Amino acid sequence: MLGPVSEEEYLRKEIDAVEQRAAKRIDPGTGALTISIAVLALLVSLVLPWIGDDTGLNVVLGESASFLPRLFSFFAFGIGVLGSGITLAVRRWGLAWVCALGLFAGSVTGVLSIWTQQTTTSNKTIGPGPGIGLVIAVIAVIVLLVKWVKIAASRPPQL
């Protein structure tokens, strides 16, 4: 027969439960401001030209652009804007890693998007060239990548 639970045991269980919940959460600290500014830069890049005269909104909606810029736009706005917003709201450690890994893929496709717009063959340009909006978006994604990796990697090890 089990006797009544002592107050000390009850408090120990409650403290352990709080500790487990806290271990799953992140504290972005001042990094949240940097993340917010980078997300704002991504949103501003929507109205700026990305490829030739096509704005970022045209690329996101698929009205124009080649495969890599469209793929980059999905990473930038899916993970960079929506993922960052959700992760800052719920502050889960696992989501911080999802953002970090997704933004790594986004930064690679972003740099490749710029490169494919600058590639030449026999002194003739293939593409219209990257616009300022695409460059700003890639820089913002790289800033977000650095911040999310730093936040995700800051979790203390579980013993």
Side-chain angles (χ1 to χ4, degrees):
M1 179 172 149
L2 294 174
V5 178
S6 71
E7 188 175 332
E8 185 178 305
E9 289 176 22
Y10 176 76
L11 287 175
R12 172 52 50 202
K13 287 181 183 179
E14 189 173 332
I15 289 170
D16 289 342
V18 169
E19 182 181 4
Q20 289 295 325
R21 283 193 307 268
K24 295 178 185 177
R25 299 180 65 81
I26 59 168
D27 181 20
T30 58
L33 179 63
T34 307
I35 290 169
S36 300
I37 292 170
V39 167
L40 179 64
L42 277 174
L43 292 174
V44 167
S45 75
L46 279 176
V47 298
L48 297 172
W50 274 32
I51 299 170
D53 292 332
D54 293 331
T55 64
L57 191 58
N58 292 341
V59 174
V60 170
L61 296 176
E63 296 173 5
S64 61
S66 60
F67 174 72
L68 277 175
R70 285 195 64 212
L71 182 62
F72 169 69
S73 72
F74 293 136
F75 279 118
F77 295 102
I79 302 291
V81 174
L82 295 176
S84 292
I86 291 170
T87 305
L88 283 177
V90 298
R91 296 177 182 241
R92 290 292 191 188
W93 180 76
L95 286 176
W97 274 113
V98 169
C99 284
L101 295 174
L103 289 166
F104 173 74
S107 65
V108 170
T109 57
V111 170
L112 286 174
S113 297
I114 291 174
W115 178 70
T116 58
Q117 297 304 310
Q118 294 175 335
T119 304
T120 61
T121 301
S122 64
N123 297 330
K124 294 181 183 176
T125 59
I126 292 178
I132 188 70
L134 181 60
V135 174
I136 289 172
V138 170
I139 292 170
V141 164
I142 292 171
V143 168
L144 285 171
L145 167 65
V146 169
K147 280 302 186 184
W148 280 122
V149 167
K150 190 183 265 188
I151 290 170
S154 69
R155 181 180 181 196
Q158 296 293 315
L159 298 175

